[in-house]
Amino acid sequence: MIKNYFKITLRNLWKHKGFSFLNIMGLAIGMTAGFLILLYVGFELSYDTMHTKADRIYRVVADIQTPSEKIQADRPAWAVAPNLQREFPEVEAAVRLLDLDMLVRKDNIKFKETKAVAVDSSFFQIFDFKLLQGDPKNVLKAPFEIVLSKSAAEKYFGEENPVGKTLKIMDEGYVAKVSGIMEDIPENSQIQADVLLSMTTFTQNLQKGLDDQWGNYSPAAYILTTAGTAPNKLQSKFPDFLERKNGEEMKESQMFVTLFLEPLKDVYLRSTRGGNGGGNINNVYIFSIVAVFILLIACINFINLTTARSVERAKEVGIRKVVGAEKGQLALQFIGESVVICLIAFGLTLALTALFLPYFNTLAGKTVSDGVFSSPIHMLLLLGISIGIGVLAGIYPAVVLTSFKPVSVLKGRFSSGTSGILLRKVLVITQFTISISLIIGTLVIYIQMQYMRDQELGFNKEQTIVLDTGAKPAQKVLKQSLDQLSGVLSTSLGSSVPGAENAAAYSEMENKNGDFQVANLDLYFVDENYIPQFDFKLLAGRAFSKDFATDSTQAMVINEKTVQLLGFTSPEEAIGAKFKQWGREGKVIGVIQDFHFRSLQSEIKPLTMRLEPRGTNLIAIKVSPKNIPQTVAAIETRWKDILPDQPFEYYFLNDFFDRQYRGEERFGNLFLNFAVLAIFISCLGLLGLAAYSTMQRRREIGIRKIVGASVFGIVNLLSKEFLKLVGIAFLIASPITWYAMHKWLEGFAYRIDMDWWIFLEAGLLAIIVASATISFQAVKAAIANPVKSLRTE
């Protein structure tokens, strides 16, 4: 019997090849999209789960309260981690991680390692990064010891065993000994490193006294707690600890610190502080919902198409009932057929996933999966979903077609009833509610991204090349040499450029009341050319100038936010205000207009600038837009002549600044692709319902044509009902999507307003797409020969 059912299934599929293709392909596309999103979500949630002690590892972070603001730092002071381990038995181990951009050399091989991290020797005791060579308890203890990743070891030593050999590190060329080799750190780790340097290199050699510094917040810190330790209880002991260790200094500096513990597994996705690698739990939630929506649309689409096809088989079922078939047998046949179709769609899903996975990895900006079969749990889950869809889709036609009287069907009077019609309408409304929501979401995301790109930044970032000289003594010579190139319009020195990390300095600033106000202010070290080269607008006072000798020791330029912080009502009032900052004292000589030196996701903060050429490491080069490749080649030649030991690396400022939005751009592109898929699958569902409705009304259409109805009139008759459903879906989708996108936009300090036209445009687009889909079936019915429609009457 089962063999017979299987034959009937294949015959029906082959008999209606076009319909079967739409049915299977629609479901397969939906499940492929759902599977890809499932892989993405699974990858995002897998960050830092490779560590067996992950449930006991916490990142130590700090809130710093000053009289002016509260700073939410993603790291504590240098002294915190080692003192926590000494003071609290609940802390089994502690480690600090200091990110480095470190020059590494071996003979003629030299690289600027951007994934270099200085760590304490407890690193491999806390984290489960596998050492291929070396003792995890002893590596990285002595100063100038390094551990290389497998890839880095091959880069510098090829097939040789590097353990025990040496490399030259940093600009000074210190000799460092390789004490271990580790496996390449997986991509789903927020800690990324190809070179690990012993922290004792700094604390015992290069910068002695760091272990006792309570006001320097450079390295990140993690602790491993003992089994059974309650983090909240441990955290409650930190205020007394800080008071004992640093109470007097906090009172003196008016900077009061509070320490918190963030679970390791929450750092990547849930932390609101910097340095979390760019993960966003809200995006994970959104994509999870989108996956559910797409699978739901695919399921609805499959049910609609299956229902439309089932009407054609009413007479078949009637005959089978007449010859003795029982309801259970018929129901089993329909459910079985539906499951078989879903299993075919599942197989096609695996093929499509394998085909599109490389493109999806590129779109996501990371390798979320190496292959379809690398995630067996997800694959089994998808198999279960496909079987479930098959059962659900088969139940409705099974119940309807097995419940009617065979005499009625054989006389041609079969109808599924009002309840069936209502169900299909509800399903279509649900489909288009989701589709319109995705259209609105896509428009909002696109407009927000465009708004961020078009926003007036307050500075000129075009045709600017940035070089990092590492504050080498030859920097000034290189700058003077570059000024002589024909393609170079101007050069300037700075410790940072807009879009890059910058220092924050403990500052005492004279406010409107004449008092010195304590604040932690962002700080740029610059030269005299920096402000004019970037076209910062001067609102009051003057910029730095070589005509004033005291500018290099006693002058400061501030932005508007600093003026507001100090309580001045106008930029002019701030001119002459005194400051004390990092051992320098002087006066404010100028105020510049606020500019976005960070992403538009962050509000502009108070910023100070000081003339300090010896504290700069970057050369910003404004070049002519003509013959840029030749200009870059000329710059490289000068670099190699003056800094032969340094690898030549550069970037264009506009590209560098725009990198801040790549995460949002990837999110937008992924969202757009899945929205298009959802709309496409919805249209297939609408096509199914249109086909069903047309089939039910074919006699009515034939009579209308005979009495003179036009093709347009019939198309309008058939389309009107469905467009009403799309209109209802629009009314449901608009307020829901407005709320969801409003919450998403709250993550941006500078954002668009969701104007009414966005929703209207989404609604019109949905109506156009729906009309095109329905018209295909309606026109086909309107031009059909009415004689064929009436022959069975």
Side-chain angles (χ1 to χ4, degrees):
M1 184 175 67
I2 294 176
K3 182 180 178 182
N4 187 49
Y5 286 165
F6 188 71
K7 283 184 179 180
I8 293 172
T9 300
L10 293 180
R11 285 172 182 170
N12 278 309
L13 288 175
W14 187 251
K15 182 180 178 182
H16 303 278
K17 293 185 285 292
F19 219 81
S20 299
F21 175 79
L22 285 177
N23 209 358
I24 294 172
M25 185 56 70
L27 183 58
I29 291 173
M31 290 200 297
T32 300
F35 191 25
L36 290 173
I37 294 177
L38 196 63
L39 292 175
Y40 174 82
V41 170
F43 182 81
E44 291 292 284
L45 294 175
S46 73
Y47 265 77
D48 301 314
T49 57
M50 72 286 294
H51 306 295
T52 56
K53 306 168 189 172
D55 292 336
R56 295 194 284 130
I57 301 174
Y58 297 87
R59 184 171 75 160
V60 185
V61 297
D63 279 359
I64 308 166
Q65 184 66 57
T66 74
S68 304
E69 61 180 338
K70 182 169 76 173
I71 303 165
Q72 291 188 315
D74 63 342
R75 57 200 63 204
W78 272 94
V80 168
N83 278 278
L84 286 177
Q85 186 171 353
R86 284 194 292 266
E87 292 278 330
F88 296 101
E90 299 97 325
V91 179
E92 186 176 313
V95 63
R96 293 167 295 186
L97 291 83
L98 180 65
D99 293 327
L100 304 169
D101 278 349
M102 187 169 68
L103 180 65
V104 179
R105 286 173 287 173
K106 181 183 182 293
D107 301 327
N108 294 324
I109 303 173
K110 53 189 176 184
F111 287 97
K112 194 64 160 299
E113 294 288 355
T114 57
K115 289 184 178 180
V117 184
V119 299
D120 288 304
S121 58
S122 55
F123 181 80
F124 289 104
Q125 299 171 43
I126 294 177
F127 301 109
D128 290 333
F129 299 122
K130 186 178 180 181
L131 267 178
L132 302 175
Q133 294 186 60
D135 181 359
K137 294 183 180 179
N138 294 316
V139 295
L140 301 173
K141 279 191 173 181
F144 297 106
E145 278 195 2
I146 58 175
V147 170
L148 300 176
S149 69
K150 185 180 178 181
S151 297
E154 291 174 355
K155 181 169 65 176
Y156 291 106
F157 295 96
E159 298 297 322
E160 296 180 61
N161 181 2
V163 175
K165 295 184 169 61
T166 60
L167 292 169
K168 290 184 178 180
I169 63 171
M170 304 184 186
D171 295 341
E172 294 79 4
Y174 298 118
V175 177
K177 179 181 177 182
V178 180
S179 61
I181 304 298
M182 64 179 178
E183 279 191 350
D184 290 351
I185 293 177
E187 194 170 359
N188 59 338
S189 168
Q190 51 143 340
I191 299 170
Q192 291 291 324
D194 283 323
V195 179
L196 298 177
L197 173 66
S198 57
M199 187 65 78
T200 52
T201 304
F202 292 95
T203 58
Q204 295 181 19
N205 194 298
L206 299 181
Q207 293 175 265
K208 294 180 180 179
L210 285 175
D211 286 343
D212 299 317
Q213 287 193 10
W214 294 90
N216 188 337
Y217 290 76
S218 295
Y222 294 83
I223 63 170
L224 173 67
T225 60
T226 55
T229 296
N232 290 337
K233 189 174 181 181
L234 174 61
Q235 188 175 281
S236 67
K237 299 178 181 180
F238 290 164
D240 290 339
F241 160 75
L242 287 173
E243 182 62 31
R244 291 195 314 271
K245 294 290 184 179
N246 194 39
E248 291 300 320
E249 186 177 336
M250 286 194 292
K251 291 173 185 175
E252 183 180 343
S253 65
Q254 298 181 54
M255 299 182 71
F256 298 93
V257 180
T258 307
L259 297 177
F260 299 96
L261 297 178
E262 288 185 338
L264 176 67
K265 291 181 180 179
D266 288 350
V267 172
Y268 175 73
L269 284 175
R270 293 178 173 84
S271 179
T272 58
R273 299 166 190 266
N276 63 2
N280 189 326
I281 190 62
N282 289 329
N283 289 353
V284 171
Y285 289 148
I286 289 171
F287 277 125
S288 299
I289 293 170
V290 169
V292 172
F293 280 173
I294 289 177
L295 287 172
L296 182 60
I297 289 173
C299 183
I300 291 171
N301 167 51
F302 186 78
I303 291 172
N304 276 340
L305 290 172
T306 303
T307 302
R309 276 281 297 111
S310 68
V311 179
E312 295 182 6
R313 301 182 62 184
K315 288 186 178 179
E316 172 200 335
V317 175
I319 293 171
R320 290 171 67 87
K321 290 187 75 172
V322 168
V323 298
E326 297 179 358
K327 281 188 176 182
Q329 292 175 317
L330 294 171
L332 181 62
Q333 178 187 345
F334 276 101
I335 293 173
E337 286 184 12
S338 182
V339 170
V340 167
I341 293 172
C342 285
L343 290 177
I344 295 172
F346 173 73
L348 187 56
T349 295
L350 296 182
L352 289 173
T353 302
L355 179 64
F356 289 108
L357 189 57
Y359 169 73
F360 181 73
N361 286 333
T362 302
L363 203 60
K366 58 184 74 176
T367 306
V368 299
S369 179
D370 294 322
V372 176
F373 300 103
S374 63
S375 305
I377 295 177
H378 293 148
M379 195 167 63
L380 289 173
L381 178 60
L382 188 68
L383 176 61
I385 290 172
S386 63
I387 293 173
I389 291 173
V391 172
L392 287 173
I395 285 176
Y396 178 75
V399 170
V400 172
L401 292 176
T402 58
S403 63
F404 59 77
K405 295 178 181 180
V407 176
S408 300
V409 173
L410 296 175
K411 287 184 177 180
R413 292 197 295 268
F414 170 71
S415 175
S416 63
T418 56
S419 61
I421 295 172
L422 179 62
L423 173 63
R424 283 184 290 278
K425 287 183 177 181
V426 169
L427 293 179
V428 169
I429 290 172
T430 302
Q431 277 187 314
F432 271 87
T433 298
I434 295 170
S435 296
I436 292 170
S437 296
L438 292 175
I439 293 172
I440 294 171
T442 301
L443 287 173
V444 171
I445 292 169
Y446 173 79
I447 295 169
Q448 174 64 20
M449 291 298 101
Q450 198 63 36
Y451 170 80
M452 292 171 70
R453 288 195 170 279
D454 296 341
Q455 183 76 1
E456 180 59 47
L457 298 175
F459 69 96
N460 187 348
K461 60 183 174 71
E462 302 305 319
Q463 278 84 51
T464 299
I465 296 174
V466 182
L467 307 177
D468 188 347
T469 65
K472 283 283 188 178
Q475 180 190 63
K476 189 174 182 180
V477 176
L478 177 62
K479 179 182 181 299
Q480 291 171 346
S481 178
L482 295 177
D483 282 330
Q484 298 170 7
L485 295 176
S486 59
V488 172
L489 303 179
S490 65
T491 61
S492 65
L493 302 177
S495 59
S496 184
V497 291
E501 292 290 325
N502 56 269
Y506 175 80
S507 311
E508 296 178 64
M509 305 288 296
E510 185 180 10
N511 60 25
K512 183 179 181 180
N513 300 324
D515 302 321
F516 276 96
Q517 183 173 327
V518 173
N520 205 53
L521 302 179
D522 287 302
L523 172 63
Y524 277 16
F525 287 146
V526 301
D527 69 356
E528 296 89 353
N529 295 336
Y530 194 90
I531 290 176
Q533 181 171 308
F534 282 95
D535 289 339
F536 297 129
K537 185 178 179 182
L538 198 64
L539 300 179
R542 62 176 179 84
F544 300 113
S545 172
K546 292 181 180 179
D547 296 333
F548 297 87
T550 55
D551 277 6
S552 60
T553 56
Q554 301 174 16
M556 175 183 284
V557 172
I558 61 177
N559 67 349
E560 292 176 273
K561 286 292 183 183
T562 310
V563 172
Q564 296 169 15
L565 178 70
L566 300 176
F568 295 112
T569 56
S570 68
E572 288 78 11
E573 283 188 26
I575 302 299
K578 298 176 183 178
F579 73 86
K580 298 177 184 178
Q581 187 184 69
W582 277 3
R584 291 288 176 92
E585 297 184 20
K587 295 181 179 181
V588 173
I589 63 166
V591 176
I592 58 173
Q593 188 179 60
D594 284 340
F595 67 94
H596 291 278
F597 57 95
R598 291 179 181 165
S599 164
L600 269 75
Q601 288 178 284
S602 306
E603 290 187 6
I604 297 174
K605 291 189 174 182
L607 175 69
T608 61
M609 290 184 180
R610 285 188 11 218
L611 192 63
E612 195 83 36
R614 287 176 296 179
T616 60
N617 59 298
L618 303 179
I619 302 180
I621 310 166
K622 179 74 71 174
V623 297
S624 169
K626 299 178 181 178
N627 300 321
I628 289 180
Q630 290 90 329
T631 302
V632 172
I635 292 171
E636 182 177 6
T637 300
R638 298 294 174 96
W639 174 283
K640 289 180 177 179
D641 289 342
I642 298 171
L643 295 171
D645 293 333
Q646 300 284 322
F648 176 70
E649 295 178 354
Y650 71 95
Y651 56 85
F652 282 91
L653 182 60
N654 54 350
D655 293 336
F656 181 78
F657 193 85
D658 291 345
R659 284 178 204 166
Q660 300 173 98
Y661 311 119
R662 282 188 183 170
E664 287 72 28
E665 284 182 351
R666 290 190 185 113
F667 170 75
N669 288 333
L670 285 170
F671 198 94
L672 173 63
N673 279 267
F674 289 121
V676 170
L677 279 176
I679 295 163
F680 174 73
I681 299 168
S682 294
C683 289
L684 289 180
L686 193 60
L687 183 66
L689 188 57
Y692 177 85
S693 178
T694 302
M695 193 182 304
Q696 288 287 76
R697 303 176 68 176
R698 62 184 182 275
R699 297 181 184 86
E700 175 192 344
I701 294 170
I703 294 171
R704 286 179 179 273
K705 285 197 70 176
I706 289 173
V707 298
S710 66
V711 172
F712 176 79
I714 292 173
V715 171
N716 183 56
L717 174 72
L718 294 174
S719 303
K720 185 167 57 177
E721 178 183 351
F722 299 114
L723 293 181
K724 286 180 182 177
L725 302 181
V726 176
I728 294 171
F730 172 73
L731 295 176
I732 297 172
S734 294
I736 296 173
T737 313
W738 179 89
Y739 177 78
M741 297 315 298
H742 177 74
K743 298 297 290 183
W744 182 75
L745 286 171
E746 285 181 350
F748 298 87
Y750 302 90
R751 51 185 177 266
I752 62 168
D753 294 321
M754 284 187 286
D755 295 322
W756 61 269
W757 64 264
I758 296 176
F759 296 86
L760 180 62
E761 188 173 312
L764 290 174
L765 181 59
I767 289 172
I768 291 170
V769 171
S771 297
T773 305
I774 297 163
S775 296
F776 170 78
Q777 194 67 37
V779 170
K780 183 180 176 183
I783 63 177
N785 188 344
V787 175
K788 292 183 179 180
S789 303
L790 297 173
R791 185 174 294 167
T792 57
E793 190 63 56

